[in-house]
Amino acid sequence: MERAIALASAVTRRLLGGPLGARLALAFLAVAAIAVGVISGLTLLSAQNQLSGLVSNGQRTQANDIAATLAQEYSARGAWAGADLSGAYALAAAASAQLDLVDAGGVAVATDPAAVQGLMQQMHGGASAGMMTPVARGGLDPPIRLPVRSGGTTVGTAQVSFPTTTPAAVLSVRDALARTVLVGATFAALAALVVAVFVSRRV
Protein backbone atom coordinates (compact mmCIF):
# COMPACT_ATOMS: atom_id res chain seq x y z
CA MET A 1 0.00 0.00 0.00
CA GLU A 2 2.74 2.41 0.94
CA ARG A 3 4.61 1.55 -2.24
CA ALA A 4 1.52 2.29 -4.31
CA ILE A 5 1.09 5.66 -2.61
CA ALA A 6 4.74 6.47 -3.15
CA LEU A 7 4.50 5.46 -6.80
CA ALA A 8 1.41 7.62 -7.30
CA SER A 9 3.16 10.55 -5.65
CA ALA A 10 6.19 10.09 -7.90
CA VAL A 11 4.01 9.96 -11.00
CA THR A 12 2.19 13.11 -9.88
CA ARG A 13 5.45 14.96 -9.37
CA ARG A 14 6.76 13.69 -12.67
CA LEU A 15 3.74 14.61 -14.78
CA LEU A 16 2.20 17.53 -12.94
CA GLY A 17 4.97 18.99 -10.84
CA GLY A 18 3.50 18.07 -7.47
CA PRO A 19 0.17 18.39 -5.57
CA LEU A 20 -0.39 21.99 -6.70
CA GLY A 21 0.02 20.99 -10.32
CA ALA A 22 -2.39 18.09 -9.83
CA ARG A 23 -5.04 20.41 -8.37
CA LEU A 24 -4.59 22.87 -11.20
CA ALA A 25 -4.84 20.09 -13.78
CA LEU A 26 -8.01 18.68 -12.19
CA ALA A 27 -9.60 22.14 -12.00
CA PHE A 28 -8.74 22.85 -15.62
CA LEU A 29 -10.04 19.45 -16.71
CA ALA A 30 -13.29 19.88 -14.73
CA VAL A 31 -14.03 23.23 -16.35
CA ALA A 32 -13.33 21.81 -19.79
CA ALA A 33 -15.52 18.75 -19.14
CA ILE A 34 -18.43 20.91 -17.98
CA ALA A 35 -18.11 23.14 -21.05
CA VAL A 36 -17.98 20.16 -23.41
CA GLY A 37 -20.96 18.54 -21.68
CA VAL A 38 -23.08 21.70 -21.90
CA ILE A 39 -22.24 22.28 -25.56
CA SER A 40 -22.93 18.63 -26.45
CA GLY A 41 -26.26 18.65 -24.63
CA LEU A 42 -27.39 21.88 -26.29
CA THR A 43 -26.32 20.56 -29.70
CA LEU A 44 -28.34 17.36 -29.29
CA LEU A 45 -31.37 19.25 -27.96
CA SER A 46 -31.30 21.72 -30.84
CA ALA A 47 -30.92 18.91 -33.37
CA GLN A 48 -33.84 17.01 -31.84
CA ASN A 49 -36.08 20.08 -32.05
CA GLN A 50 -35.10 20.70 -35.67
CA LEU A 51 -35.72 17.07 -36.63
CA SER A 52 -39.12 17.17 -34.93
CA GLY A 53 -39.93 20.32 -36.88
CA LEU A 54 -38.91 18.69 -40.15
CA VAL A 55 -41.12 15.68 -39.40
CA SER A 56 -44.10 17.92 -38.59
CA ASN A 57 -43.61 19.96 -41.76
CA GLY A 58 -43.33 16.80 -43.84
CA GLN A 59 -46.52 15.38 -42.37
CA ARG A 60 -48.33 18.65 -43.00
CA THR A 61 -47.20 18.57 -46.64
CA GLN A 62 -48.39 14.97 -47.03
CA ALA A 63 -51.75 15.86 -45.50
CA ASN A 64 -52.11 18.79 -47.91
CA ASP A 65 -51.37 16.48 -50.86
CA ILE A 66 -54.06 14.07 -49.66
CA ALA A 67 -56.61 16.88 -49.31
CA ALA A 68 -55.72 18.18 -52.78
CA THR A 69 -56.17 14.70 -54.27
CA LEU A 70 -59.60 14.41 -52.65
CA ALA A 71 -60.56 17.84 -53.97
CA GLN A 72 -59.59 16.88 -57.51
CA GLU A 73 -61.66 13.70 -57.35
CA TYR A 74 -64.70 15.53 -56.01
CA SER A 75 -64.37 18.18 -58.73
CA ALA A 76 -64.22 15.45 -61.38
CA ARG A 77 -67.33 13.67 -60.06
CA GLY A 78 -69.29 16.57 -58.67
CA ALA A 79 -70.17 14.53 -55.56
CA TRP A 80 -68.68 12.02 -53.15
CA ALA A 81 -71.01 9.32 -54.40
CA GLY A 82 -69.04 7.10 -56.74
CA ALA A 83 -65.82 9.03 -56.17
CA ASP A 84 -62.61 7.04 -56.53
CA LEU A 85 -60.65 7.69 -53.30
CA SER A 86 -57.92 5.17 -54.02
CA GLY A 87 -55.38 7.88 -54.90
CA ALA A 88 -55.84 9.65 -51.55
CA TYR A 89 -55.73 6.38 -49.64
CA ALA A 90 -52.59 5.38 -51.52
CA LEU A 91 -50.87 8.56 -50.33
CA ALA A 92 -52.03 7.89 -46.77
CA ALA A 93 -50.83 4.29 -46.95
CA ALA A 94 -47.43 5.40 -48.25
CA ALA A 95 -47.08 7.63 -45.18
CA SER A 96 -48.40 4.87 -42.84
CA ALA A 97 -51.17 7.29 -41.94
CA GLN A 98 -54.87 6.83 -41.33
CA LEU A 99 -57.26 8.84 -43.50
CA ASP A 100 -60.84 9.64 -42.45
CA LEU A 101 -63.08 11.69 -44.72
CA VAL A 102 -66.33 13.39 -43.80
CA ASP A 103 -68.56 15.45 -46.06
CA ALA A 104 -69.66 19.03 -45.51
CA GLY A 105 -72.35 17.88 -43.10
CA GLY A 106 -69.87 15.93 -40.95
CA VAL A 107 -71.08 12.53 -42.18
CA ALA A 108 -68.40 9.93 -42.86
CA VAL A 109 -67.95 9.22 -46.56
CA ALA A 110 -68.41 5.52 -47.32
CA THR A 111 -65.30 3.70 -48.54
CA ASP A 112 -64.44 0.14 -49.45
CA PRO A 113 -62.44 -1.38 -46.53
CA ALA A 114 -61.15 -4.19 -48.73
CA ALA A 115 -59.71 -1.69 -51.20
CA VAL A 116 -58.01 0.25 -48.40
CA GLN A 117 -56.48 -2.94 -46.97
CA GLY A 118 -55.24 -3.88 -50.43
CA LEU A 119 -53.51 -0.53 -50.79
CA MET A 120 -51.84 -0.98 -47.41
CA GLN A 121 -50.58 -4.39 -48.46
CA GLN A 122 -49.20 -3.07 -51.73
CA MET A 123 -47.44 -0.15 -50.03
CA HIS A 124 -45.80 -2.38 -47.43
CA GLY A 125 -44.53 -5.26 -49.51
CA GLY A 126 -47.49 -7.57 -49.24
CA ALA A 127 -47.60 -7.69 -45.44
CA SER A 128 -50.98 -8.20 -43.88
CA ALA A 129 -52.90 -5.02 -43.31
CA GLY A 130 -53.56 -5.97 -39.68
CA MET A 131 -49.83 -5.95 -38.92
CA MET A 132 -49.09 -2.72 -40.81
CA THR A 133 -51.77 -0.43 -39.45
CA PRO A 134 -50.37 2.54 -37.47
CA VAL A 135 -52.48 1.65 -34.41
CA ALA A 136 -50.75 -1.75 -34.16
CA ARG A 137 -47.38 -0.01 -34.18
CA GLY A 138 -47.91 2.31 -31.27
CA GLY A 139 -50.98 4.48 -31.88
CA LEU A 140 -51.68 7.68 -33.74
CA ASP A 141 -51.07 11.36 -33.15
CA PRO A 142 -54.06 13.72 -33.07
CA PRO A 143 -55.35 14.08 -36.64
CA ILE A 144 -54.47 16.92 -38.95
CA ARG A 145 -57.81 18.29 -40.17
CA LEU A 146 -57.85 19.97 -43.56
CA PRO A 147 -60.85 21.29 -45.50
CA VAL A 148 -61.48 19.79 -48.92
CA ARG A 149 -62.58 22.55 -51.29
CA SER A 150 -64.07 22.40 -54.74
CA GLY A 151 -65.04 25.52 -56.67
CA GLY A 152 -64.38 27.68 -53.63
CA THR A 153 -66.78 25.66 -51.48
CA THR A 154 -65.83 23.36 -48.63
CA VAL A 155 -67.20 19.94 -49.56
CA GLY A 156 -65.62 17.88 -46.81
CA THR A 157 -62.85 17.51 -44.26
CA ALA A 158 -59.86 15.22 -44.48
CA GLN A 159 -58.57 13.92 -41.14
CA VAL A 160 -55.06 12.50 -41.47
CA SER A 161 -53.55 10.78 -38.42
CA PHE A 162 -49.85 9.89 -38.47
CA PRO A 163 -48.16 7.26 -36.28
CA THR A 164 -46.77 8.39 -32.93
CA THR A 165 -43.57 6.47 -33.62
CA THR A 166 -40.58 8.41 -34.95
CA PRO A 167 -39.74 7.62 -38.61
CA ALA A 168 -36.74 5.32 -39.10
CA ALA A 169 -34.90 7.91 -41.21
CA VAL A 170 -35.15 10.49 -38.42
CA LEU A 171 -33.94 7.95 -35.85
CA SER A 172 -30.97 7.14 -38.08
CA VAL A 173 -30.00 10.81 -38.42
CA ARG A 174 -30.42 11.40 -34.69
CA ASP A 175 -28.28 8.38 -33.77
CA ALA A 176 -25.57 9.40 -36.24
CA LEU A 177 -25.50 12.91 -34.79
CA ALA A 178 -25.33 11.53 -31.24
CA ARG A 179 -22.35 9.35 -32.18
CA THR A 180 -20.61 12.32 -33.80
CA VAL A 181 -21.15 14.48 -30.72
CA LEU A 182 -19.88 11.67 -28.48
CA VAL A 183 -16.71 11.23 -30.53
CA GLY A 184 -16.14 14.98 -30.60
CA ALA A 185 -16.65 15.25 -26.85
CA THR A 186 -14.17 12.41 -26.25
CA PHE A 187 -11.48 14.08 -28.34
CA ALA A 188 -12.18 17.41 -26.65
CA ALA A 189 -11.80 15.80 -23.21
CA LEU A 190 -8.49 14.21 -24.22
CA ALA A 191 -7.25 17.53 -25.60
CA ALA A 192 -8.28 19.24 -22.36
CA LEU A 193 -6.36 16.64 -20.36
CA VAL A 194 -3.21 17.19 -22.42
CA VAL A 195 -3.47 20.97 -22.05
CA ALA A 196 -4.15 20.64 -18.32
CA VAL A 197 -1.01 18.54 -17.83
CA PHE A 198 1.07 20.98 -19.89
CA VAL A 199 -0.20 24.05 -18.04
CA SER A 200 0.23 22.48 -14.61
CA ARG A 201 3.83 21.48 -15.42
CA ARG A 202 4.60 25.00 -16.60
CA VAL A 203 3.09 26.50 -13.47
Side-chain angles (χ1 to χ4, degrees):
M1 184 66 179
E2 293 180 356
R3 294 185 60 184
I5 295 176
L7 179 60
S9 179
V11 171
T12 300
R13 287 194 301 270
R14 179 71 175 177
L15 293 178
L16 305 176
L20 177 59
R23 288 195 294 269
L24 288 174
L26 289 175
F28 191 89
L29 184 60
V31 172
I34 293 173
V36 169
V38 170
I39 293 174
S40 299
L42 291 177
T43 299
L44 291 176
L45 180 61
S46 175
Q48 178 65 31
N49 290 336
Q50 292 183 14
L51 288 174
S52 298
L54 289 174
V55 171
S56 298
N57 291 336
Q59 291 177 347
R60 189 76 183 184
T61 299
Q62 291 172 322
N64 285 329
D65 292 341
I66 291 172
T69 301
L70 291 171
Q72 291 176 358
E73 181 61 26
Y74 183 93
S75 298
R77 300 284 180 174
W80 290 121
D84 180 11
L85 306 180
S86 60
Y89 275 98
L91 292 176
S96 298
Q98 175 178 304
L99 170 60
D100 297 312
L101 175 64
V102 296
D103 61 18
V107 179
V109 176
T111 57
D112 183 0
V116 175
Q117 290 181 0
L119 286 170
M120 292 295 290
Q121 291 176 357
Q122 294 175 13
M123 290 296 172
H124 297 289
S128 63
M131 294 182 62
M132 294 307 301
T133 55
V135 174
R137 293 181 299 152
L140 298 169
D141 284 330
I144 299 175
R145 293 181 173 86
L146 295 174
V148 180
R149 295 188 175 91
S150 177
T153 303
T154 299
V155 295
T157 301
Q159 303 178 17
V160 186
S161 303
F162 290 90
T164 56
T165 54
T166 305
V170 175
L171 290 176
S172 178
V173 172
R174 187 184 64 186
D175 293 343
L177 180 60
R179 288 193 296 269
T180 301
V181 170
L182 179 61
V183 171
T186 300
F187 278 107
L190 292 175
L193 178 60
V194 172
V195 173
V197 172
F198 174 78
V199 171
S200 62
R201 286 174 61 87
R202 297 288 295 177
V203 173

